[in-house]
Structures are given as structure tokens and as C-alpha cells.
Amino acid sequence: MIRVPDHTVTAHLCTITGPLAITSANPSGESDSTHHDMVVNRLGSKLQGVLCDGESNEVVASTVVNCLKIDEGTISIVREGCVPAAKIWQIFEMVKNSML
């Protein structure tokens, strides 16, 4: 999974480290963590720390897009979250058309 953060501190961290390949912040099969307190409560004993960039307006989890076949000109929405599927398709089509 590659995360594209919309948070100042996380985005800055990515400029230092490069892309971060990380997992979701919830145990497999459990509901999504949408607040850092949820992450700490569920996984705190397994973590060295939690990066928090203040309160989030998001109450919906991340949108997950499968890009494994992007070289073949296709993607799929695995989970629709805070970024609507229509927006993902719009961006994908715009990028795909600019490559032609």
C-alpha cells in the first residue's frame, strides 16, 4: 500500500524519506481506524509511536485503489473512502489521456 497523505507533518516526512509503504492502522478484519486515539487503543502496545498532525475532519477511512495493472491501462477501486470513486476515475482518465 502506498499512502498519499493530506497532512502537513506526514507530507513533510515523505519529502525527507521518500514514499512510505505502510499498512492500515487497524488489525486485519476490524473496522477502520479514523482517529489516532483509535490506533493507540487498538495497537498501542505494538507501536513505538503514532504520528499525529492534529485533529482530522475525516470520519471515513482511506480510499484504496489497486494499481497492479496500471501498465495495462486499468485500475480498480478496492474500497471507496474519503476520496470518492468518481474523483479517482476522473484523475485516472486525465492522467491516462495525457500519456497518449
Side-chain angles (χ1 to χ4, degrees):
M1 187 70 51
I2 298 172
R3 304 279 180 172
V4 181
D6 188 23
H7 297 95
T8 307
V9 173
T10 310
H12 180 68
L13 178 64
C14 288
T15 64
I16 296 168
T17 63
L20 300 172
I22 56 178
T23 64
S24 296
N26 57 287
S28 182
E30 290 192 17
S31 61
D32 302 317
S33 296
T34 55
H35 190 277
H36 63 270
D37 287 340
M38 295 172 74
V39 174
V40 172
N41 289 337
R42 292 173 168 181
L43 300 172
S45 64
K46 298 178 182 181
L47 302 173
Q48 291 182 334
V50 174
L51 177 63
C52 177
D53 192 18
E55 294 297 320
S56 172
N57 295 329
E58 299 297 338
V59 293
V60 177
S62 303
T63 299
V64 179
V65 181
N66 181 339
C67 297
L68 290 174
K69 296 184 179 181
I70 198 164
D71 288 344
E72 299 170 21
T74 185
I75 62 170
S76 61
I77 307 292
V78 176
R79 178 181 72 200
E80 185 171 7
C82 56
V83 178
K87 183 70 173 174
I88 299 295
W89 291 116
Q90 177 187 23
I91 293 167
F92 178 63
E93 289 302 320
M94 185 175 58
V95 170
K96 194 166 69 168
N97 290 336
S98 72
M99 305 284 289
L100 298 175

